[in-house]
Amino acid sequence: MTRKGWLLFTAMSVIWGIPYLFIKIAVRELDPIVVVFARVGVAALVLFPVAVHQGVLRQLRERWLTVAALACVQIAGPFLLISYGEQHIASSLTSLLIAADPLLVVLFALRFDPSERVRGTRLLGLLIGLGGVVTLLGLDAGGDTQRLLGATLVLLAATGYAVGALLIKRPTIATLPSLGVVTVECTTATVVLAPLAVTRLPGRIPDLEVIVSLLVLGLICTALAYLLFFALVTEVGASRGSVITYVNPAVSVLLGVTLLAEPLNAAIIAGFLLIIVGSWLSTGGVLPPPVKHLLRTTRREPISRDTEVSKLAAPPRK
């Protein structure tokens, strides 16, 4: 990967690992509907001028209803479910459950998308990853009704992401410019949530940390994140860009444990490892190209050194 590719990859790994921290902070004072409305509203304000400037919205005129429906499945629904879920569970657990998204894509593909059906190693990965989800629900959230409710809401959000991933593969969406799709999605979600958000506004101005959290969620975790993600896919390709899925949960767990004093126990560690390994195997089990290159280099170095030593030790040829 190029230096630009690595910079974009690092930025996305962090940016999409931090939303759960700021959602957790925001829902302490605000209704989840207000949190999501503010997030998508800020993102729409930033993305709309960019989309207009690039002229991508004109290509969505005949399909805006389809994209608007996708907004409910892929943005409004999951964002709301995550915000409500984080009222009951830790941000670290939320991120781990969302990391099951690739597993759900594979699971739904068994019925709805023959091109994505799995067997062999990929099927084994699906079972391992689902075992990780069961570990989190049974050991970390088990026995607590509120925590189970929160975890269920987050899994429903992951389900929305998975369904959205399968929908955007269809020609009606796949042929449209990504920036235009995301802009219309955020704008639609803002319009849909506005009437509900107005009735749930707080009676006083929220604390500064809540306001900052909303701005970070809208500006960085949504608007900037999607712009950078498009740049990342353009620079390194979709397959390499998707590897951030395996890094985001680690960032989120680290932030939750260090900044919010959330627990880090055996169930979280075991669930994390099972979900990540399962997701990796179920999506092909292929090492990222940079890791492959590093392993090849590591294997070649001893041989190269031995060769150099043998050349120095050998007598000169006449």
Side-chain angles (χ1 to χ4, degrees), residues 208-259:
L208 179 61
E209 66 175 4
V210 175
I211 295 175
V212 170
S213 295
L214 295 177
L215 291 175
V216 170
L217 286 170
L219 292 174
I220 298 178
C221 299
T222 307
L224 178 61
Y226 279 111
L227 293 176
L228 290 179
F229 185 67
F230 298 151
L232 175 65
V233 171
T234 301
E235 183 71 18
V236 306
S239 60
R240 293 181 184 180
S242 65
V243 178
I244 59 172
T245 306
Y246 309 131
V247 183
N248 299 153
V251 174
S252 180
V253 171
L254 178 63
L255 292 174
V257 171
T258 57
L259 299 182

Side-chain angles (χ1 to χ4, degrees), residues 162-177:
V163 172
L166 291 174
L167 290 176
I168 62 177
K169 286 184 59 182
R170 297 183 177 277
T172 52
I173 300 295
T175 55
L176 300 175

Side-chain angles (χ1 to χ4, degrees), residues 32-53:
I33 292 179
V34 176
V35 173
V36 176
F37 169 73
R39 178 179 181 178
V40 295
V42 170
L45 288 175
V46 174
L47 292 173
F48 198 84
V50 178
V52 171
H53 177 70

